[in-house]
Amino acid sequence: MLANEFIRLPYQAVDMPPNGVRWGKAHKDFMRKAYRRTIKIMGPTQEMPVFDSRVQLDPTVKDFWGMPVAQLSGYQHPHTLEIAGVMAAKAEAWLKEAGAIQTWRNLPGNGVSGGQHQAGTCRMGNDPKTSSSIPGAAFHDADNLYVIDGSVHVTNGGFQSRPHHSCHAYRASARLVQFWKGKV
């Protein structure tokens, strides 16, 4: 699926200029000239899970309250990058067929993706050998630890993930309340 993902406000379009200029006079000139004449066509790409991807607590960086911040590590699976290239080529062909004067591709890099709807890092299942949490969000090997986000889903299913994540959050929260009341 390809679509004009969002109608972006000017401050959200800072990544639009093809020349990489993100500030200063050149950026302002581009925005004045092209903002109302530019469209960003995107297609969702299911990121392939990568075993080495992790979210850990940073051992040295702390937040305002002295708590460790999240540290992301990993990389993009080569197939994810391949699919992104195919989708970008299709989007560019569509725009050219529609009469676009100039096009440019914004391809992902190999680094960790943190701006998407992540999934698959805490797989849910009944077997502790192939999953980290049971249906209902409790971890197999850690008492009183629950995961209530999209990481329990293997993928996001190719659609907006918010409904899936919301359903899981309601289910997991209900189980957590049962646990607190001593019913689990």
Side-chain angles (χ1 to χ4, degrees):
M1 190 255 337
L2 291 171
N4 174 13
E5 185 187 33
F6 297 106
I7 305 300
R8 294 176 172 223
L9 297 173
Y11 78 91
Q12 294 171 308
V14 71
D15 64 345
M16 283 186 358
N19 58 7
V21 175
R22 307 273 192 263
W23 58 276
K25 183 177 181 337
H27 175 72
K28 289 179 183 178
D29 290 345
F30 172 84
M31 293 299 285
R32 286 184 187 109
K33 177 182 173 189
Y35 171 71
R36 293 183 187 203
R37 296 171 187 87
T38 305
I39 187 170
K40 187 171 187 176
I41 301 297
M42 300 177 71
T45 299
Q46 290 293 321
E47 292 185 14
M48 298 290 292
V50 177
F51 183 77
D52 295 330
S53 293
R54 299 280 184 273
V55 178
Q56 299 172 310
L57 295 178
D58 193 297
T60 57
V61 180
K62 310 281 189 230
D63 67 11
F64 177 81
W65 297 275
M67 302 293 290
V69 300
Q71 181 182 52
L72 304 176
S73 61
Y75 57 91
Q76 295 278 358
H77 191 282
H79 186 63
T80 299
L81 298 175
E82 178 185 349
I83 295 300
V86 168
M87 294 297 281
K90 288 183 181 221
E92 186 173 42
W94 174 22
L95 289 168
K96 285 181 178 178
E97 184 67 26
I101 297 168
Q102 180 184 7
T103 62
W104 58 93
R105 296 182 188 182
N106 185 5
L107 297 171
N110 193 38
V112 176
S113 170
Q116 307 302 319
H117 305 291
Q118 303 301 336
T121 55
C122 294
R123 186 173 291 208
M124 180 171 43
N126 293 321
D127 185 355
K129 293 178 184 173
T130 60
S131 61
S132 59
S133 65
I134 64 171
F139 278 89
H140 286 293
D141 299 329
D143 292 334
N144 200 22
L145 180 61
Y146 289 77
V147 58
I148 304 179
D149 67 5
S151 61
V152 297
H153 300 130
V154 179
T155 73
N156 285 320
F159 298 97
Q160 175 55 262
S161 58
R162 191 171 299 123
H164 300 94
H165 298 183
S166 296
C167 289
H168 172 67
Y170 284 123
R171 178 181 180 194
S173 298
R175 183 171 173 84
L176 186 58
V177 168
Q178 289 177 341
F179 173 78
W180 283 339
K181 291 181 178 180
K183 296 180 180 179
V184 175

